[in-house]
Amino acid sequence: MTLPLALTFGEPAGIGPDITLAAWSRRAALDLPPFYVLGDPQALERRAKALGLNLPIATATPATAVKAFATALPVADIGIPATASPGRPDESSAAAAIGSIDRAVADVLAGRAAAVVTNPIAKSVLYKAGFTDPGHTEYLARLSFQETGDPAWPVMMLWAPEVAVVPVTIHMPFKDVPQHLTRDLIFETGRVVARDLIDRFGIAQPRIAVAGLNPHAGEDGTIGKEDNLIVKPAIERLVADGIDARGPLPADTMFHEAARKTYDVALCMYHDQALIPIKTLAFDHGVNVTLGLPFVRTSPDHGTAFDIAGSGKADPSSLVAALKLAARLAVADQRKQRKPFAALT
């Protein structure tokens, strides 16, 4: 890689600073790609002191980050102080977190960074400050549109060597899922997944296993009609589009070891149907990947963990996995001229 990864600060009161410092301190042993942090250098220095870490922090730019990375943690100062103490978000939290994301996306779209890696944010903190997007994924898609003028169809994929899963519907009450689940939504999601598995993950013919919505995938309509009326026609449309998709499959038999060998990604109908299996199999090293954007974005697959922030107990494994995967995908991305999918609906 000739360009560094842009790592966001995340929620200043959470474990983002902790795992960032821990990852950089083990950079050689873990063979990490070069990255720089977008945020408040003084806040990182305070957190390092609280953790008892004597490590150098250097104010840097994307252009100087690669060289600086070997001897100091490069930090691009975004000009927004982060004053929150570990476990105690304050009035600076939302501004610092959002400002870091904004700069990271601007850097990667301007060609100054290879990819965006995001530390965890606290959506409840952002909502109180007027944040209107449901989460990271949707906000990144909006930033992409504002910067490029191209609409994106963002898809959240949780990836680990053991399994990759995609929830078609994400952060909504379970009672609302059947009303939001449509043939077009399933098709669009599967199409984006297939393309990015080909282009970025290097899988020539991705195999997509599609879970049913209802128990036993509806048991041919006797336990709910949605699988026959919505899920099955969407799969047929994916197949007609040349995509290797099959289902709807009973979700309770999709995730044992033998079943996982038959597909590259599981397309699930709702949040917990996707996240329970990957967090069971790969809790410490799962990675959140946003597909469908004109740039690579990964993130640790965990939250802010306010209860252990500043304690030294935070495990950087998921961040390490996110950094390594971002570098791998960015190398593949540099070989192609990327544009997001426009929505068909």
Side-chain angles (χ1 to χ4, degrees), residues 124-140:
S124 60
V125 174
L126 299 186
Y127 294 155
K128 291 175 183 176
F131 189 77
T132 57
D133 291 283
H136 245 139
T137 301
E138 296 83 0
Y139 185 59
L140 289 166

Side-chain angles (χ1 to χ4, degrees), residues 234-250:
I235 296 169
E236 292 170 347
R237 189 176 172 192
L238 286 168
V239 172
D241 207 46
I243 294 170
D244 184 356
R246 59 189 176 88
L249 304 171

Side-chain angles (χ1 to χ4, degrees), residues 30-336:
L30 297 171
D31 192 26
L32 290 185
F35 63 85
Y36 65 100
V37 184
L38 295 122
D40 179 359
Q42 293 182 345
L44 271 176
E45 289 172 354
R46 290 194 301 270
R47 186 64 62 90
K49 184 177 180 180
L51 293 168
L53 298 174
N54 183 20
L55 96 188
I57 294 172
T59 300
T61 66
T64 63
V66 172
K67 183 176 180 181
F69 186 77
T71 56
L73 173 59
V75 181
D77 190 345
I78 64 171
I80 302 175
T83 59
S85 301
R88 302 179 66 181
D90 66 12
E91 65 279 356
S92 75
S93 289
I98 294 170
S100 181
I101 298 168
D102 292 349
R103 277 283 298 276
V105 171
D107 280 355
V108 75
L109 287 175
R112 295 186 290 266
V116 174
V117 181
T118 58
N119 264 311
I121 57 173
K123 289 190 284 290
S124 60
V125 174
L126 299 186
Y127 294 155
K128 291 175 183 176
F131 189 77
T132 57
D133 291 283
H136 245 139
T137 301
E138 296 83 0
Y139 185 59
L140 289 166
R142 183 155 64 87
L143 287 179
S144 172
F145 177 70
Q146 290 172 355
E147 291 283 343
T148 68
D150 292 319
W153 187 277
V155 171
M156 183 174 80
M157 181 171 76
L158 290 305
W159 177 92
E162 295 86 350
V163 69
V165 296
V166 170
V168 175
T169 61
I170 307 177
H171 298 118
M172 65 176 61
F174 181 72
K175 65 181 179 62
D176 296 338
V177 170
Q179 286 73 43
H180 284 82
L181 195 66
T182 66
R183 298 177 184 180
D184 286 332
L185 177 60
I186 297 169
F187 172 73
E188 290 265 15
T189 302
R191 190 173 70 114
V192 171
V193 170
R195 186 196 68 166
D196 275 21
L197 287 183
I198 293 169
D199 288 353
R200 287 177 168 159
F201 284 80
I203 301 172
Q205 186 66 39
R207 301 165 300 166
I208 301 177
V210 184
L213 172 68
N214 296 297
H216 306 294
E219 200 73 73
D220 198 26
T222 62
I223 312 179
K225 307 294 185 183
E226 294 89 352
D227 292 294
N228 281 346
L229 296 178
I230 299 172
V231 184
K232 187 176 179 181
I235 296 169
E236 292 170 347
R237 189 176 172 192
L238 286 168
V239 172
D241 207 46
I243 294 170
D244 184 356
R246 59 189 176 88
L249 304 171
D252 61 352
T253 59
M254 283 179 59
F255 297 103
H256 61 83
E257 185 176 4
R260 297 197 309 273
K261 292 178 181 178
T262 66
Y263 59 82
D264 299 298
V265 63
L267 206 64
C268 301
M269 296 302 104
Y270 55 92
H271 182 276
D272 285 9
Q273 192 182 60
L275 272 69
I276 287 173
I278 193 168
K279 291 197 173 185
T280 300
L281 293 165
F283 185 79
D284 292 326
H285 56 272
V287 178
N288 186 337
V289 187
T290 303
L291 309 178
L293 296 176
F295 56 87
V296 171
R297 179 262 178 157
T298 67
S299 179
D301 183 24
H302 59 66
T304 52
F306 287 135
D307 57 324
I308 61 170
S311 70
K313 297 178 181 178
D315 184 351
S317 298
S318 188
L319 175 60
V320 168
L323 290 164
K324 289 187 174 184
L325 183 61
R328 169 188 158 190
L329 300 183
V331 169
D333 219 40
Q334 288 169 5
R335 303 190 187 107
K336 301 178 182 296

